[in-house]
Amino acid sequence: MIDKKKLEHAFKEIIEALGDDPKREGLIDTPRRASEMYLELFEGMNYTNDEIAVMFDKTFSEDRLTDSKNLVIVKDIDIFSHCEHHLALMYDMTVDIAYIPNGVVIGLSKLARIADMVAKRLQLQERIGEDILYIVKKITNSNDILVRIEGCHSCVTARGIKKRSKTVTFAKLGNISEEVLR
C-alpha cells in the first residue's frame, strides 16, 4: 500500500532540494496536498492484475452472440500514466480494446475501468497494454484480444529532444488484425 506519511515527508524534502522553503505560506500544505494527489494518481499500485480482474469481473452470458465470432471493440478510452524511468507524465493517451467473446461479454464500462486502474501505476506504455490484455483474458477467457495504445510522453516532449510525438503500441492474443482498430 502507498505510504501517505512517507510521501508527505518526501515532498517536503523535494521542496527543500529545489531550494525553496516548505514553511513558506504558499507551500505549507503542499506536501499534504501533493501526497493526497499521488494516492489518487497511483491508486493502481495498490492492486495486482489478478485483484483488478476480480474488482471488474462483471460479465454477461445472455444469448448466442457471446459464443460467436462477433467482435467487440471499445475505442478511445482516455487514460494517463507515469513512466517508470523518469516519473514523467504519459498523456493524451487513448486505449482501444477489441476481443471476440468466448461464452461471455464483459460490461463495457469495465474495460475503461481496467484501463484506468492499470495506468495508475509507474508504467511503461507497453506494459499497460500487456496488463490490460492479461486482465481481459482472465475475465472473459477470450482467445482473441487486441489492445492498442497511443500516447505522448513528457520525457520526450518536455526534456531531451523536446519534440511532440505519438507512441503507438499493441498487445495481442490470437488472430485479431490491427487493421480493425484503424
Side-chain angles (χ1 to χ4, degrees):
M1 295 300 278
I2 299 172
D3 187 327
K4 185 176 185 285
K5 287 294 179 199
K6 279 187 178 178
L7 276 174
E8 282 186 41
H9 180 73
F11 281 119
K12 181 179 179 244
E13 288 188 340
I14 289 170
I15 292 167
E16 290 171 346
L18 291 171
D20 212 326
D21 179 5
K23 294 178 184 160
R24 180 168 65 76
E25 183 179 343
L27 294 174
I28 290 172
D29 289 330
T30 297
R32 179 190 53 77
R33 285 192 307 266
S35 66
E36 288 173 0
M37 181 181 80
Y38 268 53
L39 289 175
E40 183 179 334
L41 293 178
F42 293 102
E43 177 185 8
M45 297 194 65
N46 292 317
Y47 307 102
T48 67
N49 286 341
D50 290 326
E51 290 169 328
I52 294 170
V54 170
M55 289 168 62
F56 300 120
D57 186 354
K58 179 61 179 168
T59 59
F60 304 92
S61 57
E62 297 179 352
D63 57 39
R64 65 174 178 75
L65 296 178
T66 62
D67 291 316
S68 72
K69 294 298 177 196
N70 288 320
L71 184 63
V72 176
I73 301 173
V74 177
K75 293 185 68 157
D76 299 325
I77 301 167
D78 63 317
I79 64 167
F80 64 89
S81 191
H82 291 82
C83 113
E84 67 183 32
H85 297 140
H86 303 97
L87 304 181
L89 186 63
M90 295 187 286
Y91 61 98
D92 288 345
M93 298 181 85
T94 57
V95 177
D96 303 331
I97 303 170
Y99 75 100
I100 297 174
N102 186 18
V104 297
V105 292
I106 188 170
L108 297 177
S109 70
K110 301 306 183 247
L111 293 172
R113 291 179 189 279
I114 290 165
D116 189 56
M117 188 63 75
V118 163
K120 289 182 175 182
R121 299 173 173 165
L122 295 175
Q123 277 286 25
L124 299 174
Q125 183 170 320
E126 298 87 344
R127 188 181 309 117
I128 294 170
E130 290 295 330
D131 289 349
I132 294 168
L133 186 139
Y134 174 88
I135 294 166
V136 171
K137 167 73 174 164
K138 187 158 182 99
I139 293 172
T140 66
N141 201 31
S142 174
N143 296 312
D144 297 285
I145 304 168
L146 179 63
V147 179
R148 179 186 184 275
I149 303 174
E150 181 174 318
C152 299
H153 295 240
S154 63
C155 55
V156 175
T157 60
R159 58 164 298 279
I161 190 68
K162 296 180 185 161
K163 299 293 179 194
R164 183 166 169 94
S165 61
K166 297 265 184 169
T167 300
V168 179
T169 56
F170 290 89
K172 182 177 179 177
L173 173 68
N175 295 314
I176 300 175
S177 169
E178 291 88 354
E179 294 300 315
V180 302
L181 297 179
R182 297 198 198 282

